[in-house]
Amino acid sequence: QVQLVESGGGMVQAGGSLRLSCAASGGRFDEYAMGWFRQTPGKDRNFVAAITWTGSSTYYSDSAKGRFTISRDNAKNTVYLQMNSLKPEDTAVYYCAANRAGLGTAIAGYDSWGQGTQVTVSA
């Protein structure tokens, strides 16, 4: 299984932007579709965005659509989440995950997870 490490989280004011990165190692990165999820304390982990092996197709949650962009660089074994027009409700721990089966929104479909990176958006 691939190992994943997220970075790029931090604090930002509402309306600002952040770019999260997720570096993969220990496996064939281009064999995995990749996803981003987020979680706030006491709540379920929720799907944010996903991208296919080649990057040719992407899928977003309604809350992310139009503001977030998922992309990947298979040469660098890295997936990104560009987040623009951030809102306080985007505050969460963001996790990247790898899915060998393909593009999906269900947590159960993902094989490997990173440790998460905190994003805090102030009003």
Side-chain angles (χ1 to χ4, degrees), residues 56-95:
S56 60
S57 294
T58 56
Y59 188 74
Y60 297 92
S61 67
D62 287 343
S63 61
K65 208 171 296 182
R67 300 187 300 126
F68 294 2
T69 303
I70 187 171
S71 62
R72 67 189 295 162
D73 185 339
N74 286 348
K76 295 183 178 179
N77 289 352
T78 302
V79 63
Y80 305 96
L81 185 68
Q82 177 67 45
M83 303 187 295
N84 298 328
S85 302
L86 282 161
K87 306 174 182 179
E89 51 264 43
D90 294 318
T91 296
V93 177
Y94 283 71
Y95 298 89

Side-chain angles (χ1 to χ4, degrees), residues 10-34:
M11 296 184 64
V12 65
Q13 289 188 329
S17 299
L18 281 175
R19 189 175 83 153
L20 306 183
S21 298
C22 173
S25 62
R28 283 287 308 272
F29 180 67
D30 59 2
E31 291 182 348
Y32 292 87
M34 299 297 295

Side-chain angles (χ1 to χ4, degrees), residues 35-38 45-50 59-61 63 104-106 110:
W36 285 96
F37 291 76
R38 66 187 184 187
R45 191 170 297 187
N46 292 319
F47 171 79
V48 175
Y59 188 74
Y60 297 92
S61 67
S63 61
T105 63
Y110 285 79

